[in-house]
């Protein structure tokens, strides 16, 4: 059998054909000289090729697995609230709804979001009670009124489920308005509670524009259409009229708190003055029923320690789209503004 493999001649043959016994210059290159050595090289190369193919297959598998996982997560985000919480949480629990930040139509704590979350929390078969966890300085009396009325309706519709309000850092003004609709209210000893009042504030720039020599030009159809114009002097009749609006709203606030709290409220001349109290003071005044946290209420009062969050939040895809739209609008404004500024110079 010939010892020639891969087109390379064995060393002894090369030496015989050259007819020279001179040693090559530099370090000699060692080459396999037997068939066994060549077979070992072929086997090693074959193993490397197999390992490379195997690694590539595993790489493709893990890439597909990663993409599948990402698409599954995106699908969950996209479906959002379409999932039935009872399917995800098959055990008895205490439903939780967050009221966080200002209460307003364009804020996270808006009436539509809060009402939707409360309905889902009450409707869930395995929720034993509902906790409305509040950390808000208040806001719109209209939005607060919507939530208050819905809380009353849901309590009547599901009499077997208690509704608790738990105030964390602050539950003031419109936030306390909402809390008053609960069966019971709890807070920390250092929480800020109350501020049962109504405020309206603005600025007047009459003397400023006079000093600047600015002439105010306002045309109206209707004698009171420019009511409370900050660039015009405040008229006594305007002040008196607006005060009646504030007093009426304040009375509505007081009536709803009294309906919600009933005989638990203590007689105090400053109770509805707009003052704010700590949790300890609020307990003495009857504004709250006890000191404690959401976990304590769920564990010790409801008897279902597990808390499940039913708060309605924007889906991540919606937040991304909104953020993308905001950034695009901002960039366009900057671009057009820069061009406009450049062209005017």
């Amino acid at each position: 059998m010939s010892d020639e493999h891969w087109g390379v001649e064995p060393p002894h043959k090369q030496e015989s054909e050259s007819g020279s016994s001179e040693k090559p210059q530099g370090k000699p290159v060692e080459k396999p000289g037997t068939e066994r050595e060549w077979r070992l090289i072929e086997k090693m190369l074959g193993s490397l090729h197999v390992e490379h193919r195997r690694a590539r297959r595993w790489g493709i598998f893990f890439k597909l697995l990663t993409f599948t996982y990402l698409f599954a997560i995106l699908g969950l985000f996209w479906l959002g609230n379409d999932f039935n919480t009872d399917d995800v949480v098959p055990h008895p629990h205490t439903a939780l709804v967050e009221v966080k930040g200002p209460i307003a139509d364009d804020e996270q704590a808006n009436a539509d979001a809060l009402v939707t979350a409360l309905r889902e929390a009450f409707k869930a078969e395995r929720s034993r009670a509902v906790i409305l966890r509040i950390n808000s300085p208040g806001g719109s009396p209209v939005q607060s009124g919507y939530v208050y009325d819905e809380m009353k309706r849901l309590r009547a519709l599901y009499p077997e489920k208690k509704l608790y309000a738990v105030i964390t850092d602050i539950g003031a003004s419109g936030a306390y308005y909402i809390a008053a609709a609960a069966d019971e209210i709890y807070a920390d000893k250092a929480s800020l509670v109350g501020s049962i009042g109504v405020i309206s504030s603005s600025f007047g720039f009459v003397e400023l524009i006079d000093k600047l020599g600015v002439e105010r030009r306002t045309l109206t159809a209707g004698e009171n259409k420019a009511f409370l114009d900050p660039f015009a002097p405040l008229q006594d009749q305007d002040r008196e009229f607006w005060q009646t609006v504030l007093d009426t709203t304040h009375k509505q606030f007081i009536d709803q708190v009294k309906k919600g709290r009933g005989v638990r409220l203590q007689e105090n001349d400053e109770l509805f003055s707009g003052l704010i109290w700590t949790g300890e003071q609020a307990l003495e005044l009857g504004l709250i029923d006890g000191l404690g946290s959401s976990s304590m209420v769920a564990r010790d009062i409801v008897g279902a320690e597990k808390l499940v969050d039913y708060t309605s939040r924007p889906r991540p895809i919606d937040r991304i789209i909104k953020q993308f739209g905001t950034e695009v609008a901002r960039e366009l404004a900057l671009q057009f503004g820069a061009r406009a500024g450049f062209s005017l110079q």
Side-chain angles (χ1 to χ4, degrees):
M1 178 181 293
S2 174
D3 290 336
E4 298 180 12
H5 294 276
W6 292 52
V8 180
E9 297 180 348
H12 65 274
K13 188 175 182 180
Q14 294 179 358
E15 183 178 353
S16 61
E17 290 181 355
S18 64
S20 173
S21 61
E22 295 181 0
K23 294 182 180 180
Q25 298 295 325
K27 187 177 180 180
V29 178
E30 296 182 1
K31 297 182 180 179
T34 64
E35 182 179 359
R36 183 169 178 272
E37 291 175 346
W38 282 108
R39 287 180 178 176
L40 287 175
I41 293 174
E42 291 175 356
K43 185 176 180 181
M44 180 181 68
L45 291 175
S47 299
L48 290 175
H49 182 63
V50 171
E51 289 295 326
H52 176 71
R53 289 175 58 188
R54 186 177 300 164
R56 188 171 65 178
R57 284 198 299 266
W58 277 108
I60 294 173
F61 171 76
F62 282 115
K63 287 178 182 177
L64 290 174
L65 187 64
T66 301
F67 278 112
T68 303
Y69 177 77
L70 290 176
F71 280 121
I73 294 296
L74 288 174
L76 290 173
F77 284 159
W78 190 276
L79 291 175
N81 294 329
D82 293 338
F83 283 104
N84 187 342
T85 309
D86 280 336
D87 296 335
V88 180
V89 187
H91 305 294
H93 59 271
T94 300
L96 179 71
V97 176
E98 297 266 12
V99 182
K100 184 176 292 186
I103 301 170
D105 180 62
D106 57 350
E107 296 286 347
Q108 179 180 335
N110 63 81
D112 287 341
L114 294 175
V115 165
T116 299
L118 285 168
R119 288 174 181 171
E120 292 297 324
F122 272 97
K123 185 175 68 173
E125 294 181 1
R126 296 183 180 90
S127 67
R128 295 294 176 259
V130 180
I131 291 178
L132 194 67
R133 185 160 63 191
I134 298 172
N135 186 13
S136 169
S140 166
V142 176
Q143 297 288 308
S144 301
Y146 287 158
V147 179
Y148 181 101
D149 293 340
E150 183 64 14
M151 291 168 67
K152 288 288 190 179
R153 189 189 73 86
L154 290 171
R155 284 177 56 191
L157 189 63
Y158 299 90
E160 73 283 1
K161 292 187 181 181
K162 292 288 187 179
L163 174 58
Y164 301 93
V166 176
I167 296 171
T168 56
D169 293 314
I170 183 171
S173 194
Y176 185 78
Y177 189 152
I178 290 175
D183 288 291
E184 295 178 7
I185 304 175
Y186 291 84
D188 184 78
K189 58 183 178 297
S191 300
L192 297 178
V193 181
S195 186
I196 303 172
V198 183
I199 184 174
S200 174
S201 59
S202 64
F203 296 93
F205 302 97
V206 179
E207 294 183 5
L208 177 62
I209 64 174
D210 287 342
K211 290 181 179 179
L212 295 175
V214 178
E215 180 186 359
R216 174 67 168 169
R217 296 175 180 175
T218 303
L219 304 177
T220 64
E223 58 181 312
N224 293 313
K225 191 60 180 177
F227 174 69
L228 296 181
D229 184 347
F231 296 99
L234 180 61
Q235 303 296 324
D236 290 339
Q237 60 270 25
D238 293 348
R239 186 196 307 272
E240 292 173 3
F241 173 77
W242 192 239
Q243 188 61 53
T244 62
V245 173
L246 298 179
D247 291 341
T248 301
T249 307
H250 189 205
K251 185 178 183 304
Q252 294 170 354
F253 192 171
I254 294 171
D255 290 343
Q256 297 298 74
V257 171
K258 286 183 175 180
K259 288 179 182 178
R261 299 300 297 166
V263 297
R264 290 172 289 187
L265 290 174
Q266 302 298 314
E267 292 292 335
N268 189 301
D269 294 337
E270 295 185 326
L271 193 61
F272 305 117
S273 66
L275 288 177
I276 193 166
W277 290 276
T278 66
E280 285 185 335
Q281 293 171 318
L283 182 60
E284 295 176 0
L285 293 169
L287 292 171
I288 65 174
D289 298 285
L291 301 176
S293 64
S294 301
S295 300
M296 184 279 292
V297 172
R299 181 183 62 250
D300 299 339
I301 299 177
V302 178
E305 185 174 1
K306 184 175 181 58
L307 289 167
V308 177
D309 195 350
Y310 283 75
T311 307
S312 296
R313 294 184 175 88
R315 295 177 302 175
I317 188 66
D318 294 334
R319 292 200 298 268
I320 292 171
I321 292 173
K322 182 179 180 181
Q323 184 65 29
F324 176 75
T326 302
E327 292 298 329
V328 169
R330 181 181 302 159
E331 184 63 25
L332 288 174
L334 289 173
Q335 291 295 329
F336 280 111
R339 293 173 186 173
F342 178 80
S343 66
L344 291 174
Q345 290 182 356

